[in-house]
Amino acid sequence: MNLITRIELTDRTDAELAALFTLLSREFAQAEPGSLEWHGGMISLDNIRREQAKRRPVIGPQPRGPGF
């Protein structure tokens, strides 16, 4: 399992990120805990999650009218 950096993920579409996350999750589940593969998978999955979160719009509280 190769380490995937945040820079490598910037050119991917949202669908590609989701597919990559699923693929890496399956590989990660089969890696030996504590191994180099396991640590690389953990970092890669975290990088994908961070890239997905960066692309999500932030929705703040909606202003309420008088009396609410």
Side-chain angles (χ1 to χ4, degrees):
M1 184 179 322
N2 292 334
L3 179 68
I4 300 173
T5 64
R6 298 268 316 261
I7 293 172
E8 292 176 82
L9 298 171
T10 57
D11 295 334
R12 306 257 181 168
T13 66
D14 292 341
E16 288 174 328
L17 288 176
L20 190 58
F21 186 84
T22 301
L23 178 68
L24 282 176
S25 294
R26 288 182 185 152
E27 287 184 20
F28 177 74
Q30 300 199 2
E32 174 107 15
S35 69
L36 190 58
E37 258 189 353
W38 187 86
H39 284 287
M42 180 68 79
I43 293 168
S44 295
L45 288 171
D46 188 50
N47 286 340
I48 294 170
R49 279 191 219 117
R50 288 175 188 265
E51 182 64 27
Q52 288 174 324
K54 183 177 86 172
R55 296 180 185 193
R56 258 184 243 125
V58 177
I59 300 174
Q62 299 296 320
R64 296 181 179 248
F68 290 104

